[in-house]
Amino acid sequence: MRIYIDGEYYNREDAKISVFDHGLLYGDGVFEGIRVYHGKVFKLREHIVRLYRSARTLFLDIPLSEEEMERATLDTVRVNGKENGYIRLIVTRGVGSLGIDPSSCPKASVIIIAGDIQLYPAEFYEKGIEVITAATRRVPSDTLDPRVKSLNYLNNIMAKIEARQAGCLEAVMLNREGYVAECTADNIFIVRNGELLTPEPRFGALDGITMRTILDLASSLGMEAREAALTRYDLYTADECFITGTGAEVIPIIRIDSRIIGDGKPGPVTGRLIAAFRELVAL
Ligand code: PXG
């Protein structure tokens, strides 16, 4: 494996950054997770746009243009001969002094890893999964905009631990007002009376690229789909429910907080969207 750090490629064991990097010291940085399907980087442009918007919001000056970042990403995939895999793009504030002031960091660092994704077992896609609602709430959107994909994932991590302790793979996270935001690394959808509903970013959701892909697919399939305010009541009484994300793609949810969703099996709308998504990435 060859890892890109600031314009050079390093072997896995030599790919190291400083202990004075503010990415490590303060979680000061941004990232993207991207899939490679059949030698094509999926939605690369959208991921680059989101990365640069996250960075701009944090006054983080990326030392590459968007075009250079796209090229470096494609080069890293090529150097590693990845036909199918997972790319992690990371921009940290860079090396600075001890103390949070980013003005001590003259140059941001860019890291690109083209690795493998740990796929969820096929049975989850066929049978669906159970989730819980986490007690850990999403960071309020007026504190850190949820559209910023930053290196600070502590509340998501705590919610993930809650999920694992409950014997589940994912947890639904609510915002401070109790509205459904998203899961720990996935967006969430419900189907109600044939209509597809997902929380919009102002409720605390990342503006997910898979979520947008599903909204586009739904519209091309002639389904009604929109962003909405959802509560736990809406989840419990949904006809169908599923999560979307770069790692998960589309996974049906069949139980939430011990309530059975629909008839306890992945529903027909979810099935159609999973098939459409697979067709899209197989192209
Ligand atoms: N919400 C959050 C908080 C996320 O981190 C998503 C939703 C789904 O967004 P996309 O754009 O991927 O459809 C994410 C995505 C990982 C990993 O390794 C995490 C993500 C993506 C890929 C890998 O944990 N987060």
Side-chain angles (χ1 to χ4, degrees):
M1 182 189 263
R2 302 284 286 164
I3 294 160
Y4 174 105
I5 308 178
D6 297 329
E8 307 278 345
Y9 287 100
Y10 298 86
N11 287 329
R12 193 190 174 97
E13 52 283 8
D14 302 319
K16 293 174 180 165
I17 59 154
S18 167
V19 294
F20 293 100
D21 192 306
H22 280 208
L24 173 69
L25 290 173
Y26 304 110
D28 188 354
V30 295
F31 79 102
E32 284 296 323
I34 313 172
R35 289 289 278 271
V36 186
Y37 293 109
H38 309 293
K40 258 198 88 189
V41 181
F42 186 64
K43 303 271 179 192
L44 177 57
R45 185 78 208 121
E46 286 82 349
H47 282 282
I48 299 279
V49 166
R50 188 168 68 183
L51 184 78
Y52 278 73
R53 285 183 180 168
S54 295
R56 176 181 285 263
T57 306
L58 302 179
F59 286 104
L60 179 58
D61 205 2
I62 301 180
L64 300 178
S65 68
E66 294 190 22
E67 291 68 35
E68 288 168 333
M69 183 69 84
E70 271 191 38
R71 226 171 302 133
T73 307
L74 294 169
D75 275 350
T76 308
V77 172
R78 188 180 41 78
V79 163
N80 285 279
K82 282 276 161 220
E83 279 293 307
N84 289 286
Y86 173 72
I87 306 164
R88 175 60 59 93
L89 268 183
I90 308 156
V91 183
T92 73
R93 187 74 69 176
V95 173
S97 56
L98 295 174
I100 68 164
D101 187 351
S103 69
S104 75
C105 309
K107 192 159 180 252
S109 264
V110 177
I111 300 164
I112 310 174
I113 308 169
D116 293 309
I117 181 110
Q118 219 186 328
L119 291 174
Y120 291 96
E123 64 169 291
F124 295 159
Y125 297 86
E126 288 144 24
K127 294 192 185 140
I129 62 167
E130 177 173 4
V131 300
I132 54 152
T133 305
T136 307
R137 298 280 171 118
R138 197 72 174 87
V139 170
S141 57
D142 57 349
T143 304
L144 177 64
D145 195 296
R147 288 170 291 190
V148 175
K149 197 162 163 63
S150 83
L151 294 181
N152 279 275
Y153 258 61
L154 285 176
N155 73 327
N156 303 57
I157 290 165
M158 284 191 287
K160 188 73 163 186
I161 293 168
E162 288 185 55
R164 301 308 305 225
Q165 288 177 345
C168 296
L169 288 173
E170 255 297 8
V172 176
M173 300 185 75
L174 307 177
N175 68 15
R176 193 173 38 184
E177 289 76 36
Y179 287 102
V180 174
E182 58 178 346
C183 292
T184 68
D186 302 293
N187 291 104
I188 189 164
F189 282 79
I190 62 165
V191 180
R192 189 170 64 198
N193 299 330
E195 193 180 28
L196 213 53
L197 303 170
T198 189
E200 59 192 285
R202 74 186 166 91
F203 292 104
L206 180 77
D207 202 337
I209 288 164
T210 320
M211 177 260 271
R212 294 269 165 228
T213 304
I214 289 297
L215 288 174
D216 289 346
L217 285 174
S219 115
S220 67
L221 291 169
M223 296 175 183
E224 297 286 328
R226 65 183 169 90
E227 292 168 83
L230 300 177
T231 64
R232 284 195 298 160
Y233 171 91
D234 298 306
L235 299 184
Y236 299 153
T237 59
D239 301 322
E240 299 180 34
C241 182
F242 60 87
I243 57 171
T244 64
T246 292
E249 300 175 322
V250 182
I251 299 183
I253 291 181
I254 49 156
R255 234 176 207 262
I256 307 176
D257 297 330
S258 304
R259 277 103 165 155
I260 291 169
I261 305 307
D263 61 4
K265 293 195 202 88
V269 174
T270 308
R272 281 174 74 197
L273 289 166
I274 290 176
F277 187 84
R278 288 197 173 147
E279 209 175 298
L280 179 70
V281 302
L283 292 176

